[in-house]
Amino acid sequence: MSFFGKNIRKIRNVKKLSQQAFAELFDLKRATLGAYEEERSEPKLETIIKIANYFSITIDDLLTKELTINKLLKFKEDLPYSNSFYEDLMSRIPCIFPQTEFEYIRNYHQEEFINSLPCVKLPLQSTQKRRAFVISTSEMASKSNGIQPNDMVVGEWLNLENSENISTTPLVMVITEKRLILRNLTINGSKIVLSTQQPGYEDILLKKEEILELWEIKQIFMNQLPQPENDLKGKLSNLEEEINKLKKYL
C-alpha cells in the first residue's frame, strides 16, 4: 500500500502550500498533483525523488509510511537555522539620522511616519519601544573615546512621570521642540539637568513639559574602536576632568 498521496497532502497542509504552489515546485500540473493525492495516478520515480530530496525525507518513508506531524516539523526548512527563525529573533528598530532629526521632532507622534523610517535589525527580545539614533555631535566624546559622531545608540522609551524608577544619571536621548540631546540625566526637583563630563559644555536645564520624548540608552554601536591611551595620558586626562568639575564650585 502506498501512502504517497496522503503524505504529500499532509506536507502541503503543514507547509501551508496550495496544490498549485506545490505543483509548481516540482514542475507538475495542478491536476496531476490532485490525481496523486486522490490516488488516481501513480507518480514517476523522478517526481518521487525530487519531493523526497526537497523535504529531506527518505523515499521509503514517503511511499510506505504515514508521516506524522512531528516528523514533518523536522524538515530541513523548519530547522532553527532557517531564515524565518532568525527573522523572528530580530527586532526592527526605527532609526533617526542627523539629516532627519527635525522631521522626527515634527512627526514623532505619527505612527505612519515612524513606520516609514529606515530600521535597524538587532537580536533584542523585548516588548519595550525602542529608537536608534545616529550621533552627529561630540558632546559625549572624550578625545578618541566616548560616543563619537557617526556612532549609533539604541534607547528604550522612558516614562518621565515615573521618575522614581529612573536610575542614577542614566545616559538618555531627549527629544525637545528644538533639538535632540544626548546626555546624562539628573532630576532635581521639577528641573531636568542634562550634563556631560566633557570640558566646554555647560549643563542644560529643562522643565518636564519641554520634553517630548525620553529614551534611555541601552546599547551603543561604535563606528570605530576606541583608541587605547597610555597610563600617563589617561591620568592627565582624568586630572583635567576633575579640575574642571571643581571649577564649577569656585
Side-chain angles (χ1 to χ4, degrees), residues 130 153-156 167 171 216-220:
R130 293 192 184 91
V153 298
V154 176
E156 289 186 357
S167 59
L171 179 62
E216 182 174 3
I217 303 307
K218 296 295 187 179
Q219 288 85 26
I220 300 171

Side-chain angles (χ1 to χ4, degrees), residues 136-199:
S136 61
T137 70
S138 57
E139 291 185 358
M140 298 303 292
S142 174
K143 293 184 170 40
S144 58
N145 296 320
I147 302 175
Q148 304 285 341
N150 297 320
D151 288 349
M152 183 177 73
V153 298
V154 176
E156 289 186 357
W157 183 74
L158 197 57
N159 187 355
L160 195 55
E161 299 305 317
N162 298 330
S163 57
E164 66 276 4
N165 296 327
I166 297 178
S167 59
T168 306
T169 62
L171 179 62
V172 296
M173 179 65 78
V174 180
I175 316 301
T176 72
E177 291 184 350
K178 295 182 178 180
R179 58 177 290 205
L180 276 59
I181 308 169
L182 179 70
R183 292 204 176 186
N184 292 109
L185 176 144
T186 305
I187 297 179
N188 185 4
S190 61
K191 290 287 186 180
I192 304 298
V193 182
L194 302 176
S195 60
T196 171
Q197 296 182 353
Q198 309 312 319

Side-chain angles (χ1 to χ4, degrees), residues 13 20 28 49 52 55 74 78 97-98 148 174 214 222 246:
N13 290 335
Q20 183 65 37
L28 299 172
I49 293 172
F55 293 109
K74 294 179 182 178
D78 293 309
F97 291 84
Q148 304 285 341
V174 180
L214 186 62
M222 295 184 172
L246 289 174

